[in-house]
Amino acid sequence: MKNHVEDHPEVAGYAAALTSPLRTLRMYAAPSLGEESPFEVRDELPVLTPPALVLAGRHDFICGPRWADLLHVGLEEAELTVLEEAGYLAHLEQPAQFDACVLAFLHAQGVVRGLRNS
């Protein structure tokens, strides 16, 4: 995580807040820090049947590719995309790629029609 935050200083404060032992948001980073997860709902994923886009940043230290893959496997109608140069804030770190992935998914679902923005 350190190298990624150094490459993306715009997320440094947010990353520090999430990993600070004094912050309640630390619970979201628990699995990535080798700590016990505060909740477990993977067994309930199969009841979610609508199409889903699971989008993760390769350098996401909270909900990265490992966790995205678990969602992808657990959700029957899920599509998985990993943005190689992004971390937790993929929509800020790689906005064009993030938007292109979301638009492509929405086009594939028939939600958005017309010209693609990719």
Side-chain angles (χ1 to χ4, degrees):
M1 178 178 90
K2 182 180 182 231
N3 291 338
H4 183 71
V5 171
E6 288 173 358
D7 292 342
H8 296 277
E10 69 276 11
V11 301
Y14 187 76
L18 286 172
T19 57
S20 167
L22 301 176
R23 302 288 182 161
T24 57
L25 289 177
R26 182 181 176 85
M27 69 180 225
Y28 295 108
S32 298
L33 298 171
E35 299 171 5
E36 194 66 31
S37 177
F39 51 86
E40 176 59 64
V41 294
R42 281 181 280 179
D43 292 343
E44 298 174 38
L45 290 175
V47 302
L48 301 174
T49 58
L53 173 62
V54 179
L55 187 57
R58 173 70 59 202
H59 305 286
D60 185 340
F61 63 98
I62 297 172
C63 302
R66 175 182 173 205
W67 305 108
D69 190 55
L70 289 171
L71 282 173
H72 179 242
V73 169
L75 295 168
E76 187 175 314
E77 296 293 322
E79 178 182 317
L80 174 62
T81 301
V82 176
L83 295 177
E84 294 299 323
E85 300 300 320
Y88 182 66
L89 300 173
H91 63 293
L92 298 177
E93 297 166 29
Q94 289 194 278
Q97 295 86 343
F98 182 92
D99 290 352
C101 290
V102 172
L103 280 173
F105 177 77
L106 293 174
H107 274 281
Q109 303 310 312
V111 175
V112 174
R113 295 184 188 356
L115 295 175
R116 280 195 170 177
N117 197 15
S118 56

